[in-house]
Amino acid sequence: MSTRAISDYALLSDCRSAALVSSAGSVDWLCSPRFDSPALFARLLDENAGYWSIGPACPAEITRRYLEDTLVIETTFRTGTGTAVLRDALALGRRERGHALGAASPGALMREMTCVEGHVPIAMDFAPRPEFGLIRPLMEPVRGGLVAHGGAQTVTLSCPVELRVRDATARATVTLRAGQRLCLCLHTGPAWEPEPQCWHPWRVHRRIGDTAAAWRSWSRMHSRYQGPWQEQVGHSGRVLRALTFAPTGAIVAAATTSLPECVGGERNWDYRYTWIRDASLTLQALATAACEKEETAFFSFLAGAAAGLLDHDTDLPIMYGVGGEHDLSERSLPHLTGWRGSAPVRVGNDAWRQRQLDVYGELLYAAHELSCGRFDPVTRAFLVSAAESAARRWQEPDQGIWEMRGPSRHFLHSKLMCWVALDRAVALASTLQATDQVPRWKRTRDRIRAAILTRGWSEETGAFTQVFDGKGLDASALMLPIVGFLPGDDPRVRATVDAVATRLTDRRGLVLRYRTRDRLGGEEGSFLLCTFWLAHALALTGETGRGEQVFRTAASYANDVGLLAEEVDMATGEPIGNFPQAFSHIGLINAARAIRDGGSRPGQ
């Protein structure tokens, strides 16, 4: 059973796949060649599911950081005899710069340990376990390293020192003295293709430097945000880029699967996919972080993946694989015990089958957020169809933004986003060449507005509620001012924001999604995204000072290298959930902008 804290990990990315490396120098998660590929290292979910560790063979004081403006992680080990520095990176394409990040990534995980003072004994363990630990590969030495065979992948380890192989694990020990370095590299490739050649140590050294230069180049091109929390906004923009699958522009919700929302519980989902739900807020965040190319690529992916699916009888899928796949059928991996015993471990996500009416609003909102404002005929027709579907289906029940696995209900947020779909369709009507539809869209938009104001507001609760004619609070009601349904100074908005702040927060000031009981066991944690929503909404109500305080509370749960999880355990204050979480970083960016602008909405 894996027990290391989720916050102990740092993210590596080549904009196609992701790895997580612990502060002790152990890569405990790697999916390659795609974010949603079966894991080669999955010790994050089970001690026997593979890892690759390197570090001092003696006690050490450990510090780490990302090299400035990069996602190259540098870990410093100070021992009684000397100091060693480890640099880890997933290789970007040779001399890739700026917007091209990930276009030609070679699929190489590079590691360089350098002794900078005295001498340090180093130990390395290499234990690949393909397909989430199902396979214990056969290892054979080759010139410059070894090759591991088993399953659909061949794994090549470039290593210039002697390796001892036993029980499908390769080990090496070496003492480095000041000025000496040990350069290692892992390649994966299809088993039916020629084995990747081992890299010379100097090649590893050069490519780590080149990868750092590539990230710095991208960061320089995306650094126009000026204001409070500038460093955090810039870093969050890099995290969103790191979670982007470069070939398609898809952005995954997180790099992992089955890190739980409740320790020891069953709220364990696969987040290595792209949700339409996230689209509009993602595009706002990308715009704030000056990521225009990423905006366009992301929306083009969404429109392409969803096009052709709107008709009178078919629900629009809410999520897709990074290549545009629709069928994301869920299954459990019973051989894995899960992080801290949180089972089942799942791959795939059956939420793809759900009806969520908010997706129409997310698409139109996302289209409206794009600065270019131009669409090809197929995309125009698709967006018009999305508006028509919202107009036709807004009165139907669904599963809502939080994908509740229970009966369909009339969720306020879903109605709100149908209103957004028609409101943005009206604004885009000329661009969509659909001005003839405007009178009808306006009439339906006004009907939805009237329904939200009457059935979504509860005098007894003193706030907008989770479902029509209900009494329970839901953090998604904070979106009412954020999407422009009501102004921040509306008394009902102020009352709802205050209700969330006082009745839907934990003792740390973090916001819960809701308190409604669902069909799943265990209590989930507090949501960082919802806490950033509260900071954002407070800024819109004019209470910028309170918004700043809430923002600082949420941002304080980033780990030592600035990464945010999905939730925070209410009992322990420990970050939990899939990691790092794109939505949390999106919330940070958008709230920072709202506070900087004194509550003005984009475009105002």
Side-chain angles (χ1 to χ4, degrees), residues 40 165 231 264 330 336 352 393 403 442 449 474-475 544:
L40 177 65
V165 177
E231 183 177 342
E330 182 177 296
L336 297 179
W352 75 276
R393 309 187 69 173
E403 299 172 359
K442 284 184 175 180
R449 179 182 180 84
D474 191 301
T544 306

Side-chain angles (χ1 to χ4, degrees), residues 225-237 288 532 535-536 539 544-556 585 587-598:
Y225 174 83
Q226 303 290 323
W229 306 292
Q230 187 169 323
E231 183 177 342
Q232 291 95 321
V233 168
H235 184 54
S236 290
T288 299
F532 284 119
H536 192 155
T544 306
R546 283 180 67 194
E548 290 179 356
Q549 183 178 1
V550 172
F551 183 101
R552 290 192 183 94
T553 296
S556 71
H585 286 277
L588 181 151
I589 293 171
N590 290 336
R593 187 212 65 245
I595 293 169
R596 179 199 67 181
D597 296 345

Side-chain angles (χ1 to χ4, degrees), residues 70 78-79 221 257 289 366 388 447 493-494 499-500 539 550 559 578 597:
T70 80
R78 293 179 175 85
T79 75
M221 296 177 66
T257 180
E388 290 293 317
R447 288 180 61 203
V493 168
R494 288 179 176 273
V500 170
V550 172
N559 71 357
N578 283 304
D597 296 345

Side-chain angles (χ1 to χ4, degrees), residues 409-432:
R409 304 172 73 189
H410 290 281
F411 289 97
L412 179 140
H413 179 267
S414 298
K415 313 302 183 187
L416 172 65
M417 295 313 295
C418 285
W419 177 89
V420 168
L422 295 170
D423 184 73
R424 286 0 180 229
V426 168
L428 288 168
S430 178
T431 299
L432 298 178

